Amino acid sequence: MSDSSRDTAAGAGWGSTERGDYIRLMPNRGEKLSWLNPRTLWPARNGVLASLFGDPTGHTRSRWVEQRTAAGAPADKVVRHSAPDHFSFMVIGDTGEGDDPQYAVVPGFLRVGEDTEFAVLASDVVYPVGSTDDYGTKFFRPYKDYQAPIYAIPGNHDWYEDLDGFMRVFCDAPPLAEPAAPRRLAPAWWRSLLWHEKRGHDEQRLAEARQLRSAPAQQAVQPGPYWAIDAGPVRIVGIDTGLTGTVDAEQGRWLREVSKGDIPKILITGSPLYVDAGHHPGPIEGGGTVDAVVRDPAHHYVAAIGGDIHNYQRYPVEVDGRTIQYVVAGGGGAFMHATHTMPRVSVAGVSEGDFRCYPLRGDSLAFYSRLYGNRLRMRRFFTLTEAEATAVVAKRLGIPATRVQERPARVTLRTRVVASLLGAGGRPDRTSRLRLPVRKVYTQLFSPGSATYSPPFFKCFLRLDVSPDTVRLRCFSATGNRPQELDPPVEDEVTIPLT
């Protein structure tokens, strides 16, 4: 098995000059998606409009669900998948940028997942706005050789065209009828003036794209944007958190109902419940939270896996004498969200020693220092070696270096300044008032421009091996380099008891 980033710098992808063969999988004219381009940002404006003038996704979701139920989808929205008591499935989140980082994940994903029953895409299947015409290069082409069904839950980007592309591809649903016009001068009327509407799409283009995943073994039609899968000894529950991370009241009632019973359950959500050293329980319209449903001992949840944030994190939280694994798994292909901006973890009884993330914070800081050194043409000042970045992160957090260095680097004034400018986290009890705004501005403004097209990419995906007694969860990395391409390192592993 290959070294992981916790073992060596080479295992993290540093120092390699051999790019993987994933380039051969890409279209000849691959897209280079930039989140600094106004033409990318402007169509993705609906999330801001929903927060200002009210979120319409709950109403639209109800219309989609009503249409699917009328078409014969099961009313309980449960898929009965004929898996044996011992089976495996894949989880990969936030995939669809259609560029190098997405395709770099594919060879390892196919190798690790070749004997799995199905895969689940956890959030943001297609960027930037979930357009139907983008599914060819951002879904069907990269996963054409995965010989099993793929289920999905939508992320906020899939909602930017009112879920039209997602529902066509995963639910085989026709378009919704146009809604009634809102009352003039009402908040919905103001919202509609700027709302990004779904564009027309090419039916022939979609039909040709579907042929890439046309084998009978690859087919799955899910009952709607939220669903449950009964497979072997577990139930997998997927929820749709829409544009703003809120579950509508109708879906909330379904979630509570489908969570009843003794069968062990795993939640898949577009909005992680623990992320970046904080707790985000997930509001449900009308009262209550998603995490309250997960924590209820009568519901028997053993894990909650969320996308949206483009890295890997795991928080083993003890709840009433049992441990629930809260996982972030959004590193499937989009730009990398930084991990170095997180403070030392201390949340819900989870300490830094219990917590796991990928990329390691030092690798994240080194990645961003190189990115901004190139972007600002200040390579000599900004660029930190992985050893320098690891050393300064360990110093700021007050912890030992996660990866033992052959030659530990010295923390200098330059490395401290660069770490501060790039929003590096620190100890909660020593975080100054100045550092908090710097980190907030960095993570909200600069991090989304982090697309890069040369390895290491620090992407990842999950494989879960289910038995009647346990679930073995492993996080595999994808750097984009040849040494890790077909033998992807295991960055984290945990065995979750079901009984």
Side-chain angles (χ1 to χ4, degrees):
M1 183 177 293
S2 299
D3 285 345
S4 74
S5 68
R6 290 178 170 268
D7 299 319
T8 64
W14 298 116
S16 176
T17 57
E18 296 182 274
R19 184 176 295 210
D21 287 336
Y22 69 87
I23 297 293
R24 300 179 184 178
L25 305 174
M26 299 179 65
N28 292 330
R29 300 177 65 181
E31 180 178 352
K32 303 296 185 184
L33 188 65
S34 172
W35 291 100
L36 297 180
N37 188 333
R39 288 183 297 179
T40 301
L41 293 174
W42 177 242
R45 61 190 178 272
N46 287 2
V48 175
L49 295 173
S51 65
L52 294 174
F53 300 107
D55 184 0
T57 56
H59 176 67
T60 305
R61 185 187 295 117
S62 294
R63 295 177 66 216
W64 281 120
V65 169
E66 182 180 349
Q67 182 207 71
R68 290 290 298 128
T69 303
D76 62 2
K77 302 169 187 62
V78 178
V79 177
R80 274 76 183 183
H81 191 94
S82 57
D85 284 346
H86 294 77
F87 78 97
S88 303
F89 69 100
M90 307 292 285
V91 176
I92 183 169
D94 299 272
T95 53
E97 284 195 356
D99 49 20
D100 293 59
Q102 178 178 12
Y103 278 85
V105 179
V106 173
F109 176 84
L110 294 177
R111 174 65 63 88
V112 172
E114 62 185 355
D115 62 340
T116 52
E117 287 283 329
F118 56 86
V120 177
L121 298 187
S123 177
D124 290 342
V125 180
V126 167
Y127 293 96
V129 294
S131 173
T132 304
D133 285 346
D134 286 338
Y135 268 84
T137 56
K138 299 179 182 182
F139 173 70
F140 288 106
R141 185 185 182 101
Y143 309 116
K144 65 184 177 64
D145 293 324
Y146 180 68
Q147 297 300 315
I150 297 178
Y151 301 94
I153 56 166
N156 56 311
H157 287 269
D158 301 305
W159 267 102
Y160 289 156
E161 289 198 353
D162 294 332
L163 216 60
D164 185 71
F166 181 97
M167 294 297 295
R168 276 180 174 271
V169 169
F170 292 104
C171 303
D172 200 21
L176 288 176
E178 290 297 322
R183 182 169 52 86
R184 187 176 177 81
L185 300 182
W189 182 82
W190 292 106
R191 184 182 62 222
S192 68
L193 296 180
L194 291 174
W195 195 255
H196 173 76
E197 303 286 352
K198 65 177 182 289
R199 297 170 289 184
H201 63 273
D202 187 334
E203 289 287 355
Q204 182 177 350
R205 182 175 177 179
L206 178 59
E208 291 172 353
R210 286 184 186 274
Q211 290 302 309
L212 296 172
R213 281 187 51 83
S214 59
Q218 295 174 312
Q219 303 313 301
V221 177
Q222 61 190 55
Y226 57 92
W227 42 258
I229 300 172
D230 281 352
V234 298
R235 171 170 284 183
I236 302 156
V237 179
I239 61 172
D240 170 18
T241 54
L243 282 172
T244 60
T246 300
V247 171
D248 62 278
E250 179 183 339
Q251 184 181 183
R253 287 190 293 272
W254 170 86
L255 175 61
R256 293 184 176 101
E257 187 64 30
V258 83
S259 297
K260 293 177 180 178
D262 292 338
I263 184 172
K265 299 173 188 71
I266 298 169
L267 182 75
I268 310 289
T269 170
S271 299
L273 304 178
Y274 282 88
V275 61
D276 294 345
H279 183 209
H280 305 271
I284 298 175
E285 288 181 355
T289 67
V290 173
D291 199 28
V293 175
V294 170
R295 287 169 172 260
D296 189 328
H299 295 159
H300 298 278
Y301 277 91
V302 298
I305 303 171
D308 189 53
I309 303 301
H310 307 165
N311 53 44
Y312 172 81
Q313 302 173 42
R314 180 170 64 83
Y315 302 81
V317 178
E318 185 172 333
V319 180
D320 297 327
R322 59 199 172 95
T323 300
I324 300 175
Q325 299 290 342
Y326 290 87
V327 176
V328 179
F335 68 86
M336 187 191 87
H337 276 128
T339 58
H340 69 264
T341 56
M342 288 186 290
R344 192 171 72 182
V345 171
S346 179
V347 60
V350 179
S351 68
E352 185 67 33
D354 305 318
F355 167 74
R356 293 290 183 273
C357 71
Y358 176 79
L360 300 178
R361 289 185 180 91
D363 290 330
S364 171
L365 179 58
F367 174 98
Y368 273 92
S369 73
R370 184 175 70 170
L371 181 75
Y372 282 102
N374 291 333
R375 183 170 292 168
L376 299 175
R377 300 177 185 244
M378 299 175 65
R379 296 183 183 89
R380 293 188 63 182
F381 175 74
F382 254 98
T383 303
L384 304 180
T385 66
E386 59 85 17
E388 290 173 327
T390 297
V392 72
V393 164
K395 181 75 172 178
R396 289 172 73 101
L397 295 179
I399 60 173
T402 306
R403 182 171 63 234
V404 177
Q405 304 290 319
E406 293 182 6
R407 296 181 180 179
R410 189 166 59 93
V411 177
T412 65
L413 176 61
R414 181 182 72 89
T415 58
R416 291 199 301 268
V417 169
V418 171
S420 293
L421 290 174
L422 294 181
R427 294 175 56 174
D429 57 341
R430 294 187 180 180
T431 301
S432 71
R433 292 181 180 179
L434 176 62
R435 289 175 185 167
L436 282 172
V438 167
R439 265 205 307 280
K440 185 174 181 180
V441 168
Y442 175 78
T443 55
Q444 292 187 357
L445 182 60
F446 295 108
S447 180
S450 64
T452 183
Y453 305 109
S454 60
F457 295 126
F458 296 108
K459 301 290 95 188
C460 60
F461 56 89
L462 306 184
R463 174 178 169 129
L464 289 88
D465 303 308
V466 180
S467 74
D469 299 320
T470 62
V471 173
R472 180 192 187 197
L473 183 152
R474 285 176 289 171
C475 171
F476 291 85
S477 67
T479 66
N481 288 323
R482 189 183 299 273
Q484 292 94 19
E485 187 168 63
L486 292 181
D487 186 16
V490 177
E491 291 293 335
D492 186 35
E493 179 175 346
V494 63
T495 298
I496 306 169
L498 295 183
T499 56

